[in-house]
């Protein structure tokens, strides 16, 4: 990666890390009455081999990350062309951070969770987590040859212990940030765009045709089957059939779930 060496496909790069930091920052935004707070404290977990390989350039990655995040905040605060001052001030909230500077801490993954070539990022709004705010977590997992697969979820600080077994199902899809993979390890998950007051397990990075909480998937432990319910305004399709809003239906072990005719989730239960 350094000294001009060409990086082989599938290896983590500084650009991938920075891109995911920007994405995490935007997913973790916290709307207030007159402004929008963005996360400024980031904890990054790398596979131990990747951490060792990048140890000598982590400070340089941090330097680039500070510049990239600051530039993104400047873009978010730029006034769109054609908007008057009065309308701009009324309709648009300034984006800012609660920290004087960005903070990045890199750690080798000691739990065997982060695969080689991937990164897991946890963020907070400030040094002291805000009451009711649980931060944002984004994870790259099981990267396909040279394409990062990402799951964006709202969650708390990194648990001290995590189960890598007990994966009930996997959901693959592609949103505006690329191919994604989510591993379902909970009995019930919510899926949608998410929001400040609507935390979701699977945060779809796409347009507002998808509801903040669009659908839910539940595993019935006693029967060993999965169930799905549509909670949206623009609809959910199961293998081509539109679901009745608010009515729970059986979810086959392998299925295609259409989300507001915007994207498709490929669901597969694990034995």
């Amino acid at each position: 990666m350094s000294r001009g060496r060409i990086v082989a496909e599938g290896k983590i790069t500084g650009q991938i890390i920075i891109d995911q930091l920007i994405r995490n920052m935007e997913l973790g935004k916290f709307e207030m009455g007159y402004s929008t707070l963005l996360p400024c404290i980031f904890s990054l977990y790398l596979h131990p081999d990747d951490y060792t390989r990048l140890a000598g350039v982590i400070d340089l990655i941090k330097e680039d990350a500070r510049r990239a995040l600051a530039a993104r905040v400047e873009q978010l605060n730029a006034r769109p062309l054609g908007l008057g001052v009065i309308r701009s001030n009324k309709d648009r909230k300034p984006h800012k951070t609660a920290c004087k500077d960005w903070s990045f801490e890199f750690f080798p993954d000691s739990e065997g969770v982060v695969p080689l070539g991937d990164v897991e990022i946890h963020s907070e709004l400030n040094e002291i987590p805000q009451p009711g705010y649980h931060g944002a977590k984004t994870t790259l997992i099981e990267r396909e040859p040279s394409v990062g697969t990402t799951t964006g979820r709202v969650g708390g600080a990194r648990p001290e212990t995590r189960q890598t077994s007990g994966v009930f199902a996997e959901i693959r899809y592609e949103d505006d940030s690329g191919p994604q993979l989510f591993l379902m390890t909970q009995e019930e998950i919510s899926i949608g765009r998410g929001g400040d007051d609507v935390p979701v397990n699977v945060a779809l990075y796409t347009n507002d045709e998808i509801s903040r909480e669009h659908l839910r998937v539940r595993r019935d432990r006693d029967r060993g089957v999965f169930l799905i319910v549509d909670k949206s305004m623009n609809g959910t399709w199961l293998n081509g059939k539109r679901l009745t809003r608010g009515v729970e239906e059986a979810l086959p072990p392998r299925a295609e779930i259409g989300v507001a005719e915007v994207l498709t989730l490929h669901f597969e239960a694990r034995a």
Side-chain angles (χ1 to χ4, degrees), residues 13-24:
T13 67
Q15 186 62 59
I16 289 173
I17 292 172
I18 290 170
D19 288 345
Q20 292 306 311
L21 279 168
I22 293 173
R23 181 174 187 268
N24 180 286

Side-chain angles (χ1 to χ4, degrees), residues 9-192:
E9 289 186 350
K11 282 190 176 181
I12 194 76
T13 67
Q15 186 62 59
I16 289 173
I17 292 172
I18 290 170
D19 288 345
Q20 292 306 311
L21 279 168
I22 293 173
R23 181 174 187 268
N24 180 286
M25 178 185 72
E26 294 184 9
L27 285 173
K29 66 183 180 180
F30 184 75
E31 295 279 352
M32 299 194 300
Y34 297 97
S35 62
T36 299
L37 279 182
L38 297 169
C40 54
I41 307 294
F42 300 92
S43 298
L44 300 92
Y45 296 86
L46 299 169
H47 186 280
D49 290 351
D50 285 330
Y51 181 85
T52 299
R53 183 171 64 88
L54 298 178
V57 296
I58 282 178
D59 285 345
L60 295 176
I61 295 173
K62 290 181 180 180
E63 181 182 338
D64 268 22
R66 288 188 180 95
R67 294 176 61 184
L69 292 183
R72 181 56 183 150
V73 174
E74 187 175 345
Q75 288 178 346
L76 291 172
N77 286 329
R79 190 178 69 189
L81 294 176
L83 286 182
V85 175
I86 295 177
R87 181 181 175 187
S88 176
N89 290 338
K90 179 181 178 181
D91 297 343
R92 303 181 68 249
K93 299 177 183 179
H95 292 73
K96 62 183 182 180
T97 64
C99 309
K100 292 182 179 179
D101 194 8
W102 308 96
S103 174
F104 310 98
E105 293 294 335
F106 286 76
F107 303 95
D109 173 38
S110 61
E111 301 172 8
V113 173
V114 181
L116 190 67
D118 293 352
V119 61
E120 179 176 295
I121 302 175
H122 294 251
S123 62
E124 295 292 343
L125 292 173
N126 205 349
E127 287 83 357
I128 301 176
Q130 304 297 311
Y133 178 80
H134 304 293
K137 182 179 86 170
T138 56
T139 310
L140 289 171
I141 46 182
E142 295 183 10
R143 180 171 313 148
E144 302 294 341
S146 61
V147 180
T149 57
T150 309
T151 171
R153 289 171 283 180
V154 175
R158 195 170 206 251
E160 294 182 2
T161 59
R162 294 177 56 192
Q163 295 181 351
T164 56
S165 58
V167 176
F168 303 131
E170 65 179 49
I171 299 174
R172 293 179 181 272
Y173 61 97
E174 184 169 352
D175 63 7
D176 289 351
S177 59
Q180 315 289 326
L181 169 64
F182 178 82
L183 300 180
M184 181 176 174
T185 60
Q186 301 164 260
E187 297 286 351
E188 184 173 0
I189 60 170
S190 57
I191 302 172

